[in-house]
Amino acid sequence: QQQVKQSPQSLIVQKGGISIINCAYENTAFDYFPWYQQFPGKGPALLIAIRPDVSEKKEGRFTISFNKSAKQFSLHIMDSQPGDSATYFCAATLTGTASKLTFGTGTRLQVTL
Amino acid sequence: EPEVTQTPSHQVTQMGQEVILRCVPISNHLYFYWYRQILGQKVEFLVSFYNNEISEKSEIFDDQFSVERPDGSNFTLKIRSTKLEDSAMYFCASRHTSGRDYNEQFFGPGTRLTVL
């Protein structure tokens, strides 16, 4: 019940295109859903996060869409750039406690010229 | 900008040896975490630490693991008798307990542990 499923495993997008990564969760108690970006040899860095009381959050080229009834959320990267090439992890947590993060399996994004 | 630091960046050890991985969390953070990432796999929670005690731990965090905050700045993960399957990247993270972004966990660059 703690799982977060993520797809696709890898994604190749042309520069300027839209990258879409999807996640689904099982635990309805989760109330905070961050996306992390990880470059090779580095730790994960928070990209954008959403709470289930809103259906969408946008920060620059990055948008999270959230569907509470379907228990799904997705990351959209608009106008994808080669510098966006990284591994992206969705995660979920229950706040107000230790708030451990349950991560998805990751998506390796490659943005080509 | 404040950041979480970890040492060493890479640790090679023989099976059965003890290792200590070190982390310096962001100075005004009060919640600390260890996660691990086996090569090519997802990041997995190991343990969280608050107010000088473990607040939650995963099934992975068995008796071979321990954590400690020996002073006001360091946070350590000790593996008493390493196994081959402990080979992974270990990430330390920390967060606030209040404020607008208190849910955000800041990750260090990781320590790559190789057990031979």
Side-chain angles (χ1 to χ4, degrees):
Chain A
Q1 238 212 345
Q2 292 294 323
Q3 275 194 346
V4 177
K5 295 180 181 176
Q6 183 172 347
S7 63
Q9 191 173 356
S10 63
L11 184 60
I12 300 175
V13 172
Q14 278 198 326
K15 180 182 173 184
I18 302 173
S19 305
I20 301 174
I21 305 170
N22 301 299
C23 283
Y25 62 98
E26 299 171 351
N27 187 347
T28 54
F30 286 146
D31 62 354
Y32 178 73
F33 301 87
W35 284 90
Y36 280 82
Q37 180 187 55
Q38 185 181 31
F39 292 104
K42 303 289 186 183
L46 179 68
L47 192 61
I48 186 173
I50 197 168
R51 288 192 173 275
D53 52 346
V54 296
S55 60
E56 186 175 280
K57 183 173 181 181
K58 185 176 181 179
E59 289 183 2
R61 296 185 293 111
F62 301 92
T63 300
I64 300 179
S65 297
F66 189 86
N67 186 330
K68 189 174 180 179
S69 61
K71 293 187 287 185
Q72 294 175 349
F73 58 111
S74 59
L75 176 69
H76 296 236
I77 307 174
M78 313 300 286
D79 187 26
S80 299
Q81 298 297 313
D84 297 331
S85 297
T87 299
Y88 293 81
F89 292 95
C90 61
T93 189
L94 173 61
T95 60
T97 62
S99 297
K100 67 177 184 184
L101 290 168
T102 299
F103 282 88
T105 48
T107 296
R108 182 172 289 184
L109 171 65
Q110 183 182 352
V111 181
T112 60
L113 292 171
Chain B
E1 186 176 320
E3 57 183 17
V4 177
T5 59
Q6 290 185 243
T7 54
S9 58
H10 191 189
Q11 174 91 47
V12 181
T13 189
Q14 295 290 326
M15 190 169 56
Q17 295 296 303
E18 173 184 289
V19 294
I20 297 176
L21 310 183
R22 291 181 168 79
C23 168
V24 179
I26 294 173
S27 63
N28 60 349
H29 287 186
L30 297 178
Y31 250 109
F32 313 116
Y33 304 83
W34 284 102
Y35 293 83
R36 79 171 186 190
Q37 184 179 30
I38 294 171
L39 187 63
Q41 297 186 23
K42 67 178 179 180
V43 179
E44 299 175 288
F45 168 78
L46 291 178
V47 66
S48 59
F49 192 85
Y50 173 73
N51 202 23
N52 281 320
E53 61 182 24
I54 290 173
S55 51
E56 190 170 356
K57 60 184 180 180
S58 72
E59 293 174 352
I60 303 167
F61 194 89
D62 60 23
D63 292 344
Q64 292 300 311
F65 291 87
S66 63
V67 289
E68 192 178 33
R69 188 154 163 82
D71 52 44
S73 59
N74 290 284
F75 179 51
T76 62
L77 174 69
K78 181 192 290 187
I79 308 174
R80 255 178 281 280
S81 178
T82 50
K83 307 183 192 72
L84 294 176
E85 55 264 36
D86 292 329
S87 295
M89 183 74 92
Y90 288 80
F91 293 106
C92 174
S94 69
R95 69 172 177 92
H96 287 288
T97 55
S98 62
R100 182 173 161 269
D101 298 317
Y102 77 96
N103 288 307
E104 179 177 357
Q105 293 185 25
F106 292 80
F107 283 75
T111 292
R112 179 169 298 284
L113 176 65
T114 302
V115 182
L116 302 176

